Amino acid sequence: MDTTRIQALTSMVAVLGLFVLMTLPALIGIARERRIDRQIKRAEAARAAAGRREEPAVSRPAVSRPTVSRPAVSRPAVSRPAANAAPHRTARAA
């Protein structure tokens, strides 16, 4: 190889190296965003599935029964946490 071809090869390798160094952070960022998007989709699907499990699977028709007078029984109040009180989504950095 003569000097001209060696210089051309060296220049080409330098340009390709700079190209990789310039695009590598962007490619890493894109891969990270896609991973986060997949995690968010999995979490939303899990939350939706959990919400479906809490609802009754089969709604039964109302059956009319004769009313029977019973003595009033006081029951203690049961406190339940509010469902979906606060969203648990991760904010993306702008």
Side-chain angles (χ1 to χ4, degrees):
M1 289 180 82
D2 59 344
T3 307
T4 307
R5 289 186 181 179
I6 292 175
Q7 286 178 349
L9 180 64
T10 305
S11 299
M12 186 174 62
V13 169
V15 168
L16 288 175
L18 287 173
F19 179 74
V20 168
L21 286 176
M22 296 295 284
T23 58
L24 190 62
L27 295 175
I28 292 172
I30 290 170
R32 182 174 179 260
E33 286 290 324
R34 292 187 71 188
R35 179 179 51 87
I36 291 171
D37 288 342
R38 284 193 304 267
Q39 288 176 347
I40 290 172
K41 285 179 186 177
R42 270 191 250 131
E44 287 176 351
R47 176 178 279 177
R52 276 184 259 146
R53 276 187 250 133
E54 291 175 3
E55 297 174 3
V58 177
S59 61
R60 296 182 180 152
V63 177
S64 63
R65 296 181 184 184
T67 57
V68 178
S69 62
R70 295 182 185 173
V73 177
S74 63
R75 295 183 182 173
V78 177
S79 64
R80 294 177 53 190
N84 298 330
H88 298 291
R89 294 202 171 119
T90 304
R92 287 191 186 186

